Structure formats: structure tokens, C-alpha cells
């Protein structure tokens, strides 16, 4: 009898898998549990067994009956849930749709673009895969010039088709200086936000892929005072009205004179704190007056026009603005980080 019960169990479990609606479920229930159902008949035969076997098989049969009933009820519930899920109840609260958000670098880039638009600067793009010519040579950095070692470069195996020049991933948005001059001529006011690449080992402040924001202004009689004025206004826009600018000489082959630009620390107002590493100043950019050789490469007469250029580390500005302590968060893809902005 135990073997018969096992067989019933197997058949039942097999059949219930094929049940697709309430009607076939009910037929199956009848087949096993109705008065003349297969399981009911067997249970009725228990009384003919001797006492000992009846106790043993009876226990087994009862637990089997309960088990199969449970499966039956679960299937009944599943079927009715499937059915009701087709029904739309407009009174239920809606599910919140996750819409995503802008990356913090994009947020600050847009703010800075708007700010520079008020000063008459257009925002333009330059290529990330660049020829050696625009990234270095046109910027007064000739082949084998030691200044090339200032930026560790990712070179690409193939060559530029027209000029047979080496290709590389741009190391600086300055690559767009000469391109912009050739395209738009003088006078010119433009900013170039974009990605740059350097073959550097990474740490909390250095990435192999990072953002810069270049600025170029060319017109007649442009001098360092104009550069300082624009940068001071940028500092105030970014970090508040009390922000001061400090410049110190720094060599960049494409500007003369070349300068390093620092803003007074917005957190401690120059007194010294954790953010500015107790110096009171935040180093954020390189800048200077555009070298006459670069103006010439851009088809602009250095006797008539002069200009300035600057290059901000954009990631750096964003890190300071939001108090982010590791640049590697930007490309981590970690949603816990990104959802804060
Ligand atoms: C330049 O790249 C010059 N092109 C800037 C310039 C433009 C000077 C115009 C004069 C005129 P530098 O290598 O210092 O300069 O980089 C500028 C800024 O980019 C740095 O201050 C820093 O904020 C950022 N930067 C440079 N390398 C990295 C890096 N690996 N990771 C993150 N930010 C970086």
C-alpha cells in the first residue's frame, strides 16, 4: 500500500505542474480527493489492515494527504494572483520611477559654461583622439623637447591619415587652442571643457582619465590684467565673493609668461585647514599669455593680437566644491556615491 501511495504522490505532483487554470485544478482535486478519488479510496482501505500496519501506513498516508493538499492550495493561490495581476487598480499609490541624475562633473561644467557665457565665451569641443601636432608641436612643444615629459602620454599605434603624424589621447584641453584659432580666427573667446588622459598611476588626486576646462581669449591689447580679472571673477563665482587669486611663475611652453593659479581657501578664508593642507591656498590651474608661436600656428598675427589662456583641473574644482576626498569616486560607477548629487 505504501508503494501505491508513493505512486499517487508522484502522479499528483507531475499533473499539478501541468495545471494552467482553476478548472483543471479543480478536476485534479476531484481525481484524488473526491469521495471516489484515488487517494480517498486508498485511505478507506486502511481499515482492512492489521493494527500494526494500519498505524504505520495510516501515519504515512495522512501526512501525504496534508502535503498534497498544501501543494494544491498553493497552486490555487498562485493562479488567482496571476489573474488579478492583470487588473489595474488606479487607487493604489504609484511606483516611484528612478530617473537618474547628472554626474557632479557635468553639474559643475554646466554651471561654469553658464558663467563664462555671461562673459561672452562660447563653449566648444575638441577631439580626445588627437594628433601629436595639436597636442604638442603647434603648442610650441617640438619633438624631443623635454617639456613633453611633463605629461605622460598614451600614444596610439596608428598614424593620422593626412599628415602621417603620431596619434595620441589628448593630455590637455590646450589641444583645442590652435584648432579654435584656425576655425574662428581673432578676436576669440572660448572655453573647452573635456576629458584628458595621462599614463599616470592613480591616487586620491590623480586619475588616468580626468577633466580639464580650457579658456582662451584673443583680442587687441590683451594683457595679464585681463587674465587676472577673468580668473578672479571665476574664483568668486565658484567659491564666494571673498575669494582671492594668487599667481606664481610656472613654465608652460605655450604661454609667456606662464603662471600657476591658486584661489584662497573657501573653507578657512586663507587661515589654513584640512582642505588646503594648511597652506590657505588651493592650486587649481595653469595659465599665461599665449606664446607668439602658438598664435602664428593658429594663423593669427602676434603683432596685432595678443591673448591669454588658462586650464583648470575640472575634477579638482568639483572635489573642492562638494568636499570629495578621492578623485577615483568619479569613475567608480558606485551608485551610492552618484546618488548624493
Ligand atoms: C596643463 O595641462 C596645461 N594645459 C594648463 C594650461 C592651459 C597652462 C593654458 C597654461 C595655459 P597641468 O599639467 O598643470 O597643465 O594640468 C592642469 C590641471 O589639470 C592641474 O592643475 C590639475 O588640476 C589637472 N590635472 C593634471 N593631471 C591630472 C591628473 N592625472 N588627474 C587629475 N587632474 C589632473
Amino acid at each position: 500500500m505504501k508503494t501505491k501511495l508513493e505512486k499517487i504522490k508522484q502522479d499528483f505532483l507531475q499533473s499539478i505542474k501541468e495545471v494552467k487554470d482553476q478548472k483543471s485544478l479543480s478536476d485534479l482535486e476531484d481525481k484524488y480527493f473526491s469521495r471516489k478519488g484515488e487517494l480517498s479510496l486508498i485511505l478507506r482501505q486502511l481499515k482492512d489492515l492489521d493494527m500494526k500496519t494500519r498505524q504505520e501506513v495510516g501515519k504515512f498516508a495522512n501526512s501525504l494527504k496534508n502535503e498534497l493538499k498544501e501543494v494544491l492550495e498553493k497552486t490555487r493561490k498562485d493562479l488567482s494572483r496571476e489573474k488579478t495581476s492583470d487588473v489595474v487598480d488606479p487607487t493604489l499609490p504609484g511606483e516611484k520611477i528612478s530617473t537618474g541624475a547628472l554626474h557632479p562633473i557635468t553639474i559643475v561644467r554646466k554651471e561654469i559654461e553658464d558663467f563664462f557665457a555671461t562673459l561672452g565665451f562660447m563653449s566648444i569641443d575638441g577631439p580626445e583622439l588627437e594628433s601629436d601636432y595639436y597636442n604638442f608641436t603647434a603648442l610650441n612643444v617640438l619633438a624631443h623637447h623635454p617639456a613633453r615629459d611633463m605629461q605622460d602620454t598614451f600614444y596610439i599605434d596608428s598614424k593620422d591619415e593626412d599628415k602621417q603624424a603620431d596619434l595620441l589621447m589628448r593630455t590637455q584641453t590646450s589641444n583645442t587652442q590652435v584648432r579654435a584659432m584656425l576655425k574662428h580666427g581673432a578676436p576669440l573667446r572660448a572655453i573647452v571643457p573635456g576629458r584628458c588622459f595621462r599614463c599616470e598611476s592613480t591616487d586620491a588626486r590623480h586619475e588616468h582619465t580626468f577633466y580639464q576646462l580650457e579658456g582662451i581669449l584673443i583680442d587687441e591689447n590683451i594683457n595679464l590684467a585681463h587674465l587676472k580679472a577673468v580668473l578672479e571673477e571665476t574664483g568668486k563665482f565658484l567659491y564666494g565673493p571673498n575669494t582671492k587669486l594668487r599667481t606664481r611663475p610656472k613654465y608652460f611652453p605655450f604661454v609667456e609668461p606662464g603662471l600657476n593659479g591658486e584661489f584662497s581657501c573657501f573653507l578657512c578664508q586663507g587661515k589654513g585647514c584640512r582642505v588646503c593642507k594648511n597652506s590657505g591656498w588651493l592650486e587649481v590651474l595653469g595659465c599665461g599669455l599665449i606664446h607668439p608661436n602658438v598664435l602664428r600656428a593658429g594663423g593669427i598675427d602676434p603683432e596685432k593680437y595678443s591673448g591669454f589662456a588658462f586650464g583648470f583641473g575640472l575634477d579638482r574644482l568639483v572635489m573642492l566644491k562638494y568636499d570629495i576626498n578621492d578623485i577615483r569616486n568619479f569613475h567608480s560607477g558606485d551608485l551610492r556615491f552618484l546618488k548624493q548629487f
Side-chain angles (χ1 to χ4, degrees), residues 67-83:
E67 189 186 334
L68 300 191
K69 279 268 184 197
E70 258 178 47
V71 178
L72 193 86
E73 286 318 312
K74 184 178 175 306
T75 311
R76 180 165 286 132
K77 270 192 197 146
D78 288 349
L79 284 173
S80 68
R81 204 175 299 133
E82 268 170 37
K83 193 161 175 229

Side-chain angles (χ1 to χ4, degrees), residues 147-165:
R148 290 200 176 209
D149 298 339
M150 288 164 73
Q151 300 175 359
D152 295 315
T153 309
F154 288 114
Y155 281 95
I156 306 294
D157 284 343
S158 46
K159 298 254 183 196
D160 175 307
E161 271 176 18
D162 302 334
K163 302 196 186 95
Q164 287 298 300

Side-chain angles (χ1 to χ4, degrees), residues 36-69:
K36 290 189 178 163
E38 291 181 26
L39 190 59
S40 312
L41 284 177
I42 294 216
L43 291 176
R44 232 174 287 138
Q45 290 166 18
L46 283 176
K47 64 178 185 338
D48 303 331
L49 299 174
D50 64 73
M51 180 74 140
K52 195 163 167 277
T53 325
R54 190 164 66 209
Q55 273 181 350
E56 191 192 318
V57 180
K59 208 168 154 198
F60 179 76
N62 268 325
S63 87
L64 179 78
K65 185 179 165 190
N66 291 339
E67 189 186 334
L68 300 191
K69 279 268 184 197

Side-chain angles (χ1 to χ4, degrees), residues 172 174 198 200 206-207 210 212 214 252 286-287 309 311 313 327:
Q172 48 187 351
S174 303
R198 292 189 194 176
E200 287 184 14
H206 294 90
E207 258 287 21
F210 58 97
Q212 284 189 343
E214 193 85 1
F252 295 101
C287 60
I327 191 172

Side-chain angles (χ1 to χ4, degrees), residues 150-151 171-174 177 198 200 205-208 210-212 214-215 250 252 254-255 259 283-288 309-316 327:
M150 288 164 73
Q151 300 175 359
T171 57
Q172 48 187 351
T173 41
S174 303
Q177 284 190 18
R198 292 189 194 176
E200 287 184 14
R205 293 155 78 88
H206 294 90
E207 258 287 21
H208 47 72
F210 58 97
Y211 283 79
Q212 284 189 343
E214 193 85 1
K250 183 169 178 191
F252 295 101
F254 31 94
V255 282
L259 304 165
E283 191 183 321
V284 283
L285 78 146
C287 60
F310 55 83
F312 282 100
L314 188 52
D315 306 65
R316 194 76 203 285
I327 191 172

Side-chain angles (χ1 to χ4, degrees), residues 242-244 246 263-273 276 278-282:
N242 297 326
T243 309
K244 295 190 179 51
R246 175 168 92 167
F263 290 135
S264 56
C265 179
F266 60 91
L267 199 66
C268 63
Q269 309 299 335
K271 290 186 200 77
C273 70
C276 60
N278 287 321
S279 70
W281 296 90
L282 304 165

